Amino acid sequence: MKIAISSDNHLDVNQVDPAQALAAQAKWLLEQQVGAYFFLGDLFNNFQKTRAYFTALQARVGSQIMIRYLAGNHDQLTGVTAAKLEQRLAPEYFHQAFLDVPGTDWRIIGNNGWYDYSFSNLAVSPTAVAQWKKVYWIDGSITQAESDPVRMARVMVQVKAQLQAAQAAGKRVIFVTHFVPAEALVPPLPAHLTTPRQQRFGQMFNAMLGSQHLGALLLQTPQVKRVVSGHLHGEFAPQTLGAATYYNPAVGVRRRPGEWQRTTFMEQWAYRTLVWNLR
């Protein structure tokens, strides 16, 4: 089976017409003869729009292509709650789900993921980070009853169970998630952050990227061969950690320097999309 993987299209932020994007993506996927398309989160700043888009994309490509998506932090800003996202909200929604690739021993496992501040030296002060997030960070508007570390702990339980089941079934694993799954993937703070206030902001940014505990779990699971995530924008070379190679197909935001390598949205999306023949 040939699969394609993308992330962080940010159609609203990039001011892309959704109908045009959907038609162009469907045409490209059909031309590439893709059997499954996985999107790893951050399509709109509204989950209802994200869900409607992928429902329409599935209808557009028909039974030839399986469409699956995760919810990134931007998708969660409005139109859904963190608790609701734990439910199977649509056939295309891939959180807490897996796909066994026909005719192979590959299993693709999906989990939205989250973060617990452990990429930051401020992890020792979770209350201070949570307060800063509520006031200054876009995720502060997400409706969530539990703390970020508690939410990430639930993700860890889910992923561990998914990986154990794959191991018992004798599967090689491709793990897909939105958030950064290993601390080694986090770029160093920019050199221009020199003042204590600037460095604190950089540490707050890192706190909302992912979890080093997920990275440790993946390293301890040799059946995991490929890991794909978004959330970080930019062009990052694949990186091998332990038995797995890590990839990032995020499209990014056009107006931010260094995030786009092509001129138009479709050119950038096609350039960044991973396409693999799984055998």
Side-chain angles (χ1 to χ4, degrees):
M1 175 187 280
K2 182 187 285 188
I3 69 169
I5 310 175
S6 180
S7 187
D8 295 77
N9 287 187
H10 292 287
L11 295 183
D12 43 7
V13 179
N14 284 319
Q15 299 181 336
V16 176
D17 180 85
Q20 292 181 5
L22 190 149
Q25 288 180 341
K27 181 175 182 292
W28 189 92
L29 292 168
L30 289 166
E31 289 174 347
Q32 294 293 317
Q33 297 183 317
V34 166
Y37 173 57
F38 296 87
F39 183 78
L40 308 189
D42 282 5
L43 189 72
F44 291 102
N45 288 357
N46 181 296
F47 182 79
Q48 299 305 320
K49 291 183 178 180
T50 296
R51 179 166 65 176
Y53 185 94
F54 288 113
T55 298
L57 181 60
Q58 182 67 82
R60 184 72 172 252
V61 299
S63 60
Q64 296 181 66
I65 302 176
M66 182 183 301
I67 304 297
R68 294 293 182 266
Y69 68 94
L70 298 173
N73 56 312
H74 276 255
D75 302 297
Q76 302 178 37
L77 294 177
T78 57
V80 76
T81 66
K84 193 78 171 177
L85 285 168
E86 294 304 313
Q87 303 173 20
R88 189 69 189 274
L89 299 177
E92 297 80 21
Y93 183 48
F94 200 58
H95 175 61
Q96 269 286 81
F98 69 86
L99 170 67
D100 286 338
V101 178
T104 77
D105 62 350
W106 284 110
R107 174 171 291 185
I108 303 171
I109 294 174
N111 192 290
N112 292 337
W114 199 243
Y115 46 77
D116 57 11
Y117 316 153
S118 57
F119 291 163
S120 168
N121 62 20
L122 299 175
V124 296
S125 305
T127 301
V129 176
Q131 290 173 343
W132 185 93
K133 169 189 167 181
K134 193 68 177 176
V135 176
Y136 297 108
W137 201 245
I138 191 170
D139 291 4
S141 66
I142 293 172
T143 303
Q144 174 179 313
E146 59 203 346
S147 70
D148 294 319
V150 168
R151 185 174 180 183
M152 185 64 214
R154 184 176 66 249
V155 169
M156 289 295 297
V157 171
Q158 293 170 343
V159 175
K160 186 174 182 179
Q162 289 174 308
L163 295 179
Q164 288 175 339
Q167 183 178 17
K171 300 293 186 178
R172 288 182 295 165
V173 171
I174 298 173
F175 180 70
V176 297
T177 188
H178 178 72
F179 296 89
V180 183
E183 190 169 15
L185 306 176
V186 178
L189 292 178
H192 68 266
L193 300 183
T194 56
T195 69
R197 182 176 180 178
Q198 290 171 335
Q199 291 175 353
R200 179 177 172 82
F201 177 87
Q203 291 296 332
M204 288 293 186
F205 175 82
N206 283 0
M208 262 65 83
L209 290 181
S211 170
Q212 63 177 238
H213 301 104
L214 177 58
L217 175 62
L218 295 172
L219 279 175
Q220 295 164 9
T221 312
Q223 290 75 24
V224 178
K225 303 302 182 184
R226 303 181 195 181
V227 180
V228 192
S229 61
H231 201 42
L232 279 177
H233 298 174
E235 189 169 22
F236 303 99
Q239 187 170 341
T240 299
L241 304 172
T245 302
Y246 291 68
Y247 302 84
N248 180 324
V251 167
V253 175
R254 182 177 184 176
R255 68 171 183 261
R256 296 176 186 161
E259 293 197 6
W260 276 31
Q261 298 79 46
R262 297 293 185 270
T263 303
T264 69
F265 170 78
M266 275 306 298
E267 289 172 341
Q268 176 71 1
W269 176 79
Y271 173 68
R272 298 290 294 145
T273 296
L274 296 171
V275 179
W276 292 332
N277 271 305
L278 299 179
R279 296 183 175 89

